[in-house]
Amino acid sequence: MKRPLLFLGASKGLTLIEMLLVIGIVLTLLAIAFLSISNIRVISSNTSTQTVLISDLKNQQIKAMTGDTEGRGTADNYGVKILSDRYVLFHGLSYNPSDSGNFVIPIDGRQTLTSTFQNGLIIFASNSGELINFTIGQNTVTIMDDDGESKVLHFNKYGTITQVDN
């Protein structure tokens, strides 16, 4: 009588070495998947912060250009104060931290903001929307996460973002 071709001998099941090898391969694949997902989270978080910040900057500029009074009676300048863990939307020619009209936007705890604008102030002029006290070389905002990934927003004197560096 002939033996079947798939005869594996008397042993049935897996050996300890085979089992450890399979577990090692599965754990390696899970580690790769986890690292890929965590990198997507960092990229997504930076992009989200960038999108919201740009939107808020444009809204402040539009308020300045259209003469929005927010119920105060007269048109005013509008600005954004950049702090490391948040930014503040305000009205006027200067930032007053105790002004009840300020609107504070916290950023993700894994990120920090920095600015080369003088005192971290980006102020849009009433009617024109141009940046007040604009200086070349002092015209960037950087969003950096705790993994060292960053996005740098470059502005021109008209308040337009002209470049985003990754």
Side-chain angles (χ1 to χ4, degrees):
M1 177 174 203
K2 285 186 173 180
R3 289 187 175 174
L5 293 175
L6 297 175
F7 180 75
L8 298 175
S11 160
K12 299 200 187 225
L14 298 173
T15 65
L16 179 60
I17 293 176
E18 292 170 331
M19 182 67 82
L20 291 175
L21 184 62
V22 168
I23 290 172
I25 291 170
V26 168
L27 289 176
T28 301
L29 292 173
L30 286 173
I32 291 170
F34 175 76
L35 291 174
S36 295
I37 289 171
S38 66
N39 189 36
I40 290 170
R41 177 203 53 81
V42 168
I43 292 169
S44 174
S45 181
N46 277 358
T47 303
S48 175
T49 300
Q50 173 190 333
T51 302
V52 172
L53 176 60
I54 290 171
S55 176
D56 287 339
L57 285 162
K58 290 302 166 193
N59 284 335
Q60 291 294 86
Q61 185 179 35
I62 289 168
K63 285 183 191 178
M65 291 171 67
T66 60
D68 191 345
T69 63
E70 292 184 336
R72 285 185 303 278
T74 59
D76 209 346
N77 303 306
Y78 284 86
V80 178
K81 169 72 172 172
I82 304 293
L83 300 163
S84 63
D85 61 344
R86 66 195 178 282
Y87 59 94
V88 183
L89 308 178
F90 66 94
H91 68 87
L93 193 53
S94 62
Y95 169 67
N96 177 358
S98 61
D99 188 340
S100 63
N102 293 347
F103 190 76
V104 178
I105 294 92
I107 61 166
D108 185 335
R110 295 177 301 267
Q111 297 174 322
T112 56
L113 293 175
T114 57
S115 172
T116 59
F117 283 92
Q118 187 176 12
N119 299 319
L121 292 173
I122 303 169
I123 303 174
F124 300 101
S126 181
N127 296 321
S128 71
E130 291 184 18
L131 291 174
I132 294 177
N133 297 327
F134 176 81
T135 305
I136 294 176
Q138 294 181 339
N139 60 331
T140 63
V141 174
T142 303
I143 304 165
M144 182 171 288
D145 66 26
D146 56 4
D147 293 330
E149 298 289 324
S150 66
K151 291 189 179 278
V152 182
L153 310 176
H154 297 263
F155 294 79
N156 66 15
K157 71 176 187 172
Y158 303 109
T160 303
I161 295 170
T162 57
Q163 182 179 337
V164 177
D165 298 334
N166 292 325

